[in-house]
């Protein structure tokens, strides 16, 4: 089994988010792959569409690229 974790900055609608969504939609049906998505910041209107794919969705909840809080 190969594990694939796609990493996106946020769940705001955009070209790369749509591309990853379509890619995950195809990959999740491949039984040789275990697919998930990691958002640096999960805010965005596209999050629900990723959740509906039935894959693990993770978020780092970072406020910015410089958010290095040890608690996170």
């Amino acid at each position: 089994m190969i594990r694939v974790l796609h990493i996106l900055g946020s769940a705001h609608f955009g070209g790369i988010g749509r591309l990853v969504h379509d890619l995950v939609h195809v990959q999740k049906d491949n039984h040789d792959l275990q697919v998930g998505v990691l958002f640096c910041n999960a805010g965005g209107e596209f999050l629900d569409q990723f959740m509906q794919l039935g894959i693990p969705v993770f978020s780092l909840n970072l406020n910015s690229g410089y958010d290095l809080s040890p608690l996170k």
Side-chain angles (χ1 to χ4, degrees):
M1 168 118 4
I2 298 172
R3 293 181 179 173
V4 178
L5 183 65
H6 296 280
I7 302 172
L8 293 169
S10 71
H12 291 290
F13 188 79
I16 207 71
R18 182 66 185 177
L19 175 70
V20 171
H21 179 273
D22 292 345
L23 183 60
V24 168
H25 183 71
V26 172
Q27 289 178 334
K28 71 180 182 76
D29 294 330
N30 185 333
H31 298 291
D32 293 330
L33 298 176
Q34 184 177 0
V35 183
V37 177
L38 170 68
F39 293 103
C40 294
N41 183 339
E45 57 279 349
F46 212 39
L47 183 61
D48 287 338
Q49 292 185 15
F50 277 99
M51 300 290 279
Q52 291 174 3
L53 290 174
I55 59 158
V57 176
F58 307 98
S59 174
L60 296 175
N61 290 321
L62 297 178
N63 295 324
S64 71
Y66 298 106
D67 189 358
L68 300 175
S69 171
L71 296 176
K72 292 184 179 181

